[in-house]
């Protein structure tokens, strides 16, 4: 069983500040750094670090940044099949304040132009029982077409609708598992209360739903709408950027290992908690050794 992540990749430039600037104001950052990012890449690497066989379907530009991206991805997964487009590679600017909160702006020309069904070997590589993970960085039309095609191929489809495009109504009957934070779930369903939103996602067609709640952990709703609330460990927050991607990628990798959904969510919550205690997006993700220990200890605690 392979995990396929379909999404974006970019170069992240992170600036650390005491506070966010006001309109028209210039502030000096206490530090800044470049790193690999993009929700697709973040989730693919997190899944790979669980030990899963992962293929990332994404597009890079034909520039120096694209070469840099390929080199950095290859440290965690097979990056030989990335699609190169005649564009500049995508970039994000991330501002992180003293509380660990973040603001992000992304230039996403590659993500906007990428069509996995036409530009890569995506569809032929999907086998029955594989897991396909998508986010909201590609165009709504592309996302809809990919989810439909992979569900038709007998794959398990995981959809994390982030960032959420205004007015986009995903066809949730093509989604085996929907993962959204509380705000996204409310926007998709009109239900402000997370448990009600999770049940509404299932009523709209999703096979199961998870609503992530930040420091409060997450709740998992199965196909019958039964709710399992999973608490997060208490940690000192350094940087919240990328935590949701660590959660999604770790969960997908755990499912590929045959771990049941509730247990996979418990492991993923703990992986995300580790990430918020560190600076950076992808750089904050637990490494392979940490993931292995996390998976083993979490399962042992509930045996």
């Amino acid at each position: 069983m392979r995990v396929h992540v379909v999404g974006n990749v970019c170069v992240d430039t992170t600036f650390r500040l005491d506070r966010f600037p006001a309109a028209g104001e210039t502030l000096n950052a206490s530090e800044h750094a470049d790193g690999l990012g993009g929700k697709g890449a973040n989730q693919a690497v997190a899944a790979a670090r669980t030990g899963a066989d992962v293929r990332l379907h994404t597009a890079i530009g034909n520039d120096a940044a694209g070469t840099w991206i390929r080199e950095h991805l290859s440290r965690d997964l097979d990056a030989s099949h990335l699609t190169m487009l005649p564009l500049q590679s995508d970039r994000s600017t991330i501002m992180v304040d003293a509380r660990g909160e973040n603001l992000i702006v992304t230039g996403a020309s590659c993500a906007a132009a990428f069509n996995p069904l036409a530009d890569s070997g995506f569809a032929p590589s999907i086998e029955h029982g594989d897991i396909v993970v998508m986010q909201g960085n590609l165009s709504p039309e592309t996302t809809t077409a990919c989810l439909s095609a992979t569900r038709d191929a007998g794959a398990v489809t995981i959809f994390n609708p982030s960032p959420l495009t205004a007015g986009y109504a995903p066809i949730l009957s093509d989604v085996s598992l929907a993962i959204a934070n509380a705000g996204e779930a409310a926007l998709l369903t009109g239900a402000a209360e997370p448990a009600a939103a999770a049940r509404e996602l299932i009523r709209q067609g999703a096979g199961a739903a998870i609503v992530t709640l930040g420091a409060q952990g997450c709740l998992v709703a199965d196909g019958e709408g039964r709710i399992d609330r999973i608490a997060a460990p208490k940690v000192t927050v350094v940087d919240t950027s990328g935590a949701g991607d660590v959660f999604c990628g770790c969960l997908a990798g755990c499912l590929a290992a045959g771990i049941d959904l509730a247990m996979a969510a418990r492991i993923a919550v703990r992986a995300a908690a580790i990430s918020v205690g560190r600076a950076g997006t992808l750089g904050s993700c637990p490494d392979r050794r940490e993931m292995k220990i996390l998976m083993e200890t979490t399962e042992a605690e509930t045996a």
Side-chain angles (χ1 to χ4, degrees):
M1 178 187 296
R2 175 178 284 164
V3 176
H4 301 263
V5 181
V6 188
N8 72 322
V9 61
C10 65
V11 178
D12 283 345
T13 300
T14 301
F15 295 89
R16 301 194 68 83
L17 306 153
D18 289 335
R19 60 176 177 83
F20 297 131
E25 182 181 20
T26 299
L27 294 178
N28 288 327
S30 59
E31 59 182 278
H32 68 280
D34 287 338
L36 188 68
K39 296 187 72 64
N42 294 344
Q43 294 182 11
V45 169
R49 290 182 181 178
T50 68
D53 178 10
V54 177
R55 176 166 291 182
L56 174 61
H57 303 269
T58 191
I60 57 176
N62 58 347
D63 54 9
T67 301
W68 184 91
I69 288 169
R70 189 188 298 275
E71 291 174 351
H72 279 68
L73 278 174
S74 65
R75 298 173 183 177
D76 284 284
L77 46 83
D78 179 6
S80 62
H81 54 274
L82 304 184
T83 298
M84 182 177 288
L85 300 178
L87 299 166
Q88 288 187 326
S89 295
D90 293 349
R91 290 182 174 271
S92 287
T93 295
I94 303 168
M95 293 186 289
V96 182
D97 71 5
R99 300 169 299 168
E101 297 298 324
N102 63 79
L103 296 175
I104 303 173
V105 178
T106 297
S109 57
C110 281
F114 182 45
N115 182 348
L117 295 175
D119 298 334
S120 75
F122 167 62
S125 68
I126 304 299
E127 296 183 1
H128 184 87
D130 281 355
I131 295 173
V132 176
V133 184
M134 296 197 71
Q135 322 81 35
N137 276 299
L138 305 185
S139 72
E141 296 79 13
T142 296
T143 300
T144 297
C146 286
L147 288 172
S148 176
T150 55
R151 189 62 181 267
D152 289 347
V156 174
T157 53
I158 299 177
F159 182 44
N160 172 221
S162 177
L164 187 59
T165 301
Y168 175 48
I171 301 173
L172 292 178
S173 58
D174 287 331
V175 175
S176 307
L177 171 63
I179 304 175
N181 64 32
E184 293 157 352
L187 288 171
L188 284 169
T189 65
E193 202 279 317
R199 292 189 177 100
E200 177 61 18
L201 289 170
I202 293 170
R203 193 197 68 78
Q204 292 181 14
I210 294 178
V211 178
T212 58
L213 305 171
Q216 304 305 311
C218 73
L219 57 83
V220 181
D222 65 15
E224 303 301 318
R226 290 183 292 264
I227 301 293
D228 187 4
R229 296 179 182 272
I230 298 171
K234 295 186 182 301
V235 296
T236 299
V237 175
V238 174
D239 184 353
T240 59
S241 54
D245 296 335
V246 170
F247 179 93
C248 291
C250 177
L251 185 133
C254 288
L255 293 178
I259 298 171
D260 68 69
L261 180 59
M263 179 60 67
R266 287 185 174 85
I267 296 168
V269 161
R270 295 185 180 191
I274 290 173
S275 77
V276 301
R278 300 171 175 173
T281 47
L282 187 55
S284 68
C285 181
D287 61 25
R288 287 178 181 265
R289 181 186 64 83
E290 291 173 315
M291 282 288 199
K292 184 175 186 293
I293 293 171
L294 191 61
M295 293 165 72
E296 291 175 347
T297 55
T298 304
E299 288 189 283
E301 287 174 9
T302 54

